[in-house]
Amino acid sequence: RLLSSLLSVFFFSLQAQLEYLLCIAISCLVLAAKNDEDEVIPSVQTLAVQGRCKCSPAEILRMEKIILDKLQWDLYTATPMDFLNIFHAIVMSSWPHLPPGLPQRNPSLHVALLTKQLQHCMACHQLVQFKGSTLVLVIITLELERQTLGWFPVTTDLLKKAQVGS
């Protein structure tokens, strides 16, 4: 749906020359894939070759920037590490009494421990099927359960704030 919307905007509002339509289409495909956390995005080089596009990867990237500028989009894809920092900050700010029960009583060291766990999960091919945000929620929940007696209210509060159902 997003891809067709992007294409519609450019075909009608820019009145692009015919030679650039394939470049616009591939750039829109890249943008639509970047918009979905689950989507695996092939390299621009691969898309140019597989799409039999006469434009170079540099031209595709330039067209992507033009599209973003025209739509006034600031495209940023959150990484699992971003989710880890956000969710950890939510837990620490909402439940300030928790740090005494966490390793070394230091939130920075706790984030380092969680980061190491996240890196192990991201390296495991069986876990690649899950969203980064989901992996982070599981890691934090398991760590809270292991380290803190009152983990359940903290976890349910975090899930509610992250807008995740039970």
Side-chain angles (χ1 to χ4, degrees), residues 59-134:
E59 289 172 316
I60 293 171
L61 292 173
R62 190 175 44 143
M63 185 61 70
E64 182 180 334
K65 183 174 177 1
I66 290 168
I67 293 168
L68 290 172
D69 289 344
K70 290 286 183 188
L71 295 174
Q72 298 177 347
W73 280 6
D74 181 18
L75 189 63
Y76 171 75
T77 303
T79 65
M81 194 62 210
D82 293 328
F83 287 112
L84 177 68
N85 289 320
I86 292 167
F87 294 156
H88 187 266
I90 289 171
V91 170
M92 292 297 115
S93 65
S94 298
W95 300 83
H97 67 281
L98 281 181
L102 297 176
Q104 294 87 27
R105 301 177 185 217
N106 184 330
S108 296
L109 292 175
H110 189 239
V111 169
L113 173 76
L114 295 174
T115 300
K116 190 173 183 178
Q117 292 176 5
L118 177 60
Q119 289 169 338
H120 285 290
C121 289
M122 297 304 292
C124 181
H125 74 278
Q126 291 99 342
L127 299 177
V128 172
Q129 64 182 324
F130 299 105
K131 293 181 181 180
S133 57
T134 303

